[in-house]
Amino acid sequence: MENAVNNRIKNDCLGNESDKEYNNTLNDQTMYIVRHKLEQFQAIILKDIQKNVNDFVDEVMQELRQQQMQSQEFSNFAQHQQKTGIWTNRQMGTTATAATTNTSKGNTTVDHKNKEQHTQETINNVGNSIRHLPDKIFTMRESYLTALLKIQYVLLVWLLQHVFVFGIYYACHWWASWREILQAQSFAGKLWSCTCLALYALSQFSFLIIACFLNFKLDLPFASGVVLQLESIRLLMKMHAFVRTTIPRVLHGKAKTDDELVQHSIAFPPFSCYLYFLFAPTLVYRDFYPRSSRIRWKFALTHLMEVVAIAFLYSYIYECYIVPNFSDFGKHSFNISFITVKLFASLMPFTMLLLTGFYMILHAWHNFTAELLRFGDRMFYKDWWTASNYDTYYRKWNVIVHDWLYEYIYKDFYLYIFNGSKLLSSLVVFWISALFHDIPLCFSLHLFFPAICIFMGLLGVFLVFITRLAPKNFGNFALWFSLIVGNGILMVAYCTEYYARFNCPKLIENWSDHLLPHMLYCYHNNNNNNNTI
């Protein structure tokens, strides 16, 4: 009996302990479920908060980018706008009336007091709950693009440049006239010719340097700076073509035409021929060119609209690809993988810039000007896209510039300087072409970064000889691949260097600091900061 009681008591104790363990297990499971639900709820709340914060940060960063772009690239424009509020379209009643009154001095005045009284009576009749709306104001101000691009400065410089270009014609005419008076073979005649030659070389060098200096002095935006530099180089090539073609005619009495050399006593070419040549889409001077019978206005306007459309496409690519990808370069740490990601993300837009730039300038714009001038020879380019080596590509890409380089650089060095050496003459052509491709970008971006000189002057020469050995089909593939990747590398290099100068400026202590890339300084500076942390 006693044993049975003990066993029962023992079983009851074990049952109580089992119930307690069961209850504890149930409580643990309940707490786990509640904790899991709370963690899920917390994750959802944090995700929503993070999304809202990210959206807010993106909006703020977009506004900061726009303000930064204005302050960096259009600093004078932004400061003028902030100080004067000149592009404010509406102001409240009293201010609007005052502004209109101030800007209409000397013109017919309006009874503003009656207008204000009428407005106030209307407001009182409607009720105090309606706030007063601003009024349109009129004031002295330029159009937005005029102030943004500084078109008036570029136009003024362009007109002054043409005055100089016209002066070259009359200077050559003056040289030819005095040469006959002084007798060409006399000491005075030779001294006169040598002096004029030295002055001509100095004037050409000064013409280019002044254009580059004005880019800095006027603080021109990139688009206006590129237009000024390209136009300066075009006029420089035009002047040299005219002088280089006309001077031998005066010296030898020979007029070069496309059919033959006609030996006769010729007069100095008339100014009308020189004027037509300045605007014709060619860089090789002739007195006469093939001319079409009429102007096809529909054809001309179509190509002009294509130029305008591609200009808007350039603006879109700049705003949507270049600024978001590169404007913060130098603010954060970066390495080779960072640059590689930027490169592959930019291959498509930069390839579009290359191809549309070719179409806009070499096809649409040149056909537009050729049609207006009835210029008959429209072979501005050839089928460069089928080239299997870089030698053929360089000949076909831009026939206008290639003809100038061949006619006035290659032939002169081949005949008179290197005594028949094709290799040395070709190298000089490459280096001169590379230099004048780099000048517009460097001076328009206000930086020293001769990447195009290195690519074209060194790597470009190397590719000419290498691709000659490649089979035709593989050579065309290699050409396109290298064009896409090489153009992408160049554009990424210029974009990163441009924004690095704003985001991580370095202390300029001597002249050599201007020659060192800022992106290297950003790289070392970020690495030092990371090591310090």
Side-chain angles (χ1 to χ4, degrees):
M1 178 68 70
E2 184 178 358
N3 291 334
V5 172
N6 291 333
N7 288 333
R8 187 173 181 179
I9 293 172
K10 184 177 181 180
N11 291 332
D12 291 340
C13 292
L14 292 174
N16 292 333
E17 291 179 358
S18 299
D19 292 340
K20 289 181 180 179
E21 291 179 357
Y22 174 76
N23 291 332
N24 291 334
T25 303
L26 183 63
N27 291 334
D28 291 340
Q29 292 178 351
T30 304
M31 292 299 295
Y32 174 77
I33 293 174
V34 172
R35 187 188 312 111
H36 181 67
K37 293 295 185 181
L38 289 175
E39 289 177 351
Q40 288 182 342
F41 179 73
Q42 181 183 12
I44 294 174
I45 295 297
L46 291 177
K47 185 177 180 180
D48 292 339
I49 293 175
Q50 184 177 6
K51 181 181 178 181
N52 293 331
V53 169
N54 290 337
D55 293 340
F56 178 73
V57 170
D58 290 339
E59 293 178 0
V60 172
M61 292 303 297
Q62 183 66 24
E63 293 179 359
L64 290 176
R65 287 193 194 101
Q66 293 177 355
Q67 294 179 1
Q68 183 181 21
M69 183 180 66
Q70 280 191 348
S71 62
Q72 292 176 356
E73 302 179 16
F74 313 111
S75 56
N76 295 337
F77 172 77
Q79 294 172 3
H80 183 62
Q81 183 178 7
Q82 292 175 358
K83 291 179 180 178
T84 62
I86 194 66
W87 280 275
T88 301
N89 192 37
R90 291 179 176 86
Q91 293 182 3
M92 299 304 291
T94 304
T95 307
T97 304
T100 307
T101 305
N102 290 333
T103 56
S104 61
K105 290 181 179 180
N107 299 328
T108 305
T109 58
V110 182
D111 191 357
H112 297 289
K113 293 183 179 179
N114 294 334
K115 181 179 177 181
E116 288 182 356
Q117 292 175 359
H118 176 72
T119 304
Q120 188 64 35
E121 291 174 359
T122 304
I123 294 174
N124 293 332
N125 293 333
V126 175
N128 296 328
S129 61
I130 300 178
R131 65 182 180 86
H132 181 62
L133 297 177
D135 298 326
K136 167 70 178 180
I137 61 171
F138 292 92
T139 186
M140 296 294 295
R141 51 191 167 187
E142 296 289 349
S143 297
Y144 203 83
L145 286 178
T146 303
L148 187 65
L149 300 178
K150 299 185 179 182
I151 298 175
Q152 70 276 19
Y153 293 149
V154 178
L155 181 60
L156 177 61
V157 173
W158 184 77
L159 292 175
L160 293 177
Q161 285 179 331
H162 278 76
V163 173
F164 179 86
V165 173
F166 295 157
I168 289 292
Y169 172 85
Y170 291 105
C172 291
H173 196 286
W174 192 36
W175 164 79
S177 302
W178 276 93
R179 181 176 177 273
E180 293 182 0
I181 296 174
L182 297 174
Q183 297 179 356
Q185 301 303 323
S186 64
F187 175 78
K190 292 181 179 180
L191 180 62
W192 168 249
S193 296
C194 292
T195 303
C196 290
L197 178 62
L199 291 176
Y200 166 74
L202 180 62
S203 67
Q204 298 299 284
F205 179 76
S206 302
F207 182 84
L208 182 62
I209 293 299
I210 291 174
C212 298
F213 170 77
L214 289 176
N215 227 326
F216 287 101
K217 185 66 176 178
L218 300 177
D219 194 21
L220 295 177
F222 175 72
S224 301
V226 167
V227 170
L228 177 60
Q229 293 299 136
L230 290 178
E231 186 65 9
S232 300
I233 293 174
R234 184 188 72 88
L235 292 175
L236 192 72
M237 298 168 75
K238 292 270 190 180
M239 287 187 288
H240 183 72
F242 174 77
V243 172
R244 181 63 185 83
T245 304
T246 305
I247 297 305
R249 289 170 49 175
V250 176
L251 295 177
H252 306 293
K254 297 179 180 180
K256 187 173 183 179
T257 65
D258 291 330
D259 298 326
E260 60 182 356
L261 289 177
V262 183
Q263 183 77 30
H264 60 89
S265 177
I266 59 170
F268 201 79
F271 181 76
S272 59
C273 295
Y274 180 63
L275 182 62
Y276 182 85
F277 168 66
L278 287 180
F279 297 96
T282 181
L283 295 174
V284 178
Y285 177 78
R286 295 289 187 270
D287 287 344
F288 303 101
Y289 300 95
R291 303 285 295 275
S292 58
S293 59
R294 63 185 181 89
I295 299 177
R296 297 172 293 176
W297 290 104
K298 183 178 179 180
F299 179 84
L301 291 176
T302 299
H303 285 299
L304 179 61
M305 294 306 297
E306 290 174 345
V307 172
V308 175
I310 295 175
F312 277 102
L313 176 63
Y314 269 32
S315 177
Y316 172 79
I317 293 175
Y318 173 76
E319 292 288 344
C320 296
Y321 289 95
I322 296 179
V323 173
N325 284 335
F326 298 100
S327 60
D328 60 346
F329 183 84
K331 295 181 179 179
H332 312 288
S333 60
F334 64 94
N335 48 30
I336 299 299
S337 61
F338 175 82
I339 299 295
T340 304
V341 171
K342 293 290 186 183
L343 171 62
F344 282 96
S346 305
L347 287 181
M348 185 273 291
F350 287 150
T351 303
M352 290 180 61
L353 290 179
L354 175 68
L355 298 179
T356 55
F358 154 77
Y359 186 88
M360 178 178 68
I361 298 176
L362 295 177
H363 181 76
W365 179 255
H366 284 157
N367 271 286
F368 169 70
T369 56
E371 192 64 32
L372 292 183
L373 296 174
R374 297 192 293 114
F375 187 81
D377 192 347
R378 310 288 176 89
M379 193 180 70
F380 308 126
Y381 56 90
K382 297 181 183 178
D383 56 337
W384 58 268
W385 49 88
T386 62
S388 58
N389 55 70
Y390 268 89
D391 190 11
T392 305
Y393 165 76
Y394 286 134
R395 296 173 186 270
K396 292 183 175 182
W397 165 263
N398 190 340
V399 174
I400 297 176
V401 174
H402 176 265
D403 288 343
W404 186 89
L405 290 170
Y406 173 79
E407 191 74 21
Y408 304 116
I409 303 297
Y410 179 82
K411 289 174 68 174
D412 284 350
F413 277 89
Y414 178 80
L415 295 175
Y416 305 115
I417 297 179
F418 294 131
N419 195 22
S421 175
K422 291 184 177 181
L423 176 61
L424 295 178
S425 302
S426 299
L427 290 177
V428 170
V429 169
F430 268 100
W431 294 333
I432 292 178
S433 177
L435 175 64
F436 280 90
H437 275 80
D438 217 347
I439 286 177
L441 276 178
C442 287
F443 283 95
S444 300
L445 294 174
H446 300 176
L447 53 85
F448 178 81
F449 192 70
I452 292 183
C453 277
I454 297 173
F455 266 72
M456 290 188 64
L458 298 178
L459 185 59
V461 175
F462 177 74
L463 289 175
V464 167
F465 295 100
I466 292 298
T467 53
R468 285 178 180 175
L469 306 176
K472 185 174 182 180
N473 293 334
F474 177 77
N476 183 257
F477 167 78
L479 177 83
W480 273 102
F481 180 81
S482 59
L483 277 178
I484 293 173
V485 176
N487 179 70
I489 293 174
L490 280 175
M491 294 297 102
V492 168
Y494 278 101
C495 289
T496 52
E497 175 65 14
Y498 176 75
Y499 285 105
R501 296 191 171 233
F502 294 106
N503 297 330
C504 52
K506 62 181 180 180
L507 180 63
I508 304 298
E509 297 180 349
N510 51 55
W511 66 270
S512 61
D513 291 333
H514 292 281
L515 307 181
L516 297 177
H518 273 60
M519 64 172 64
L520 297 180
Y521 175 78
C522 291
Y523 177 75
H524 292 299
N525 189 34
N526 289 327
N527 286 342
N528 293 334
N529 292 336
N530 292 335
N531 294 333
T532 303
I533 295 174

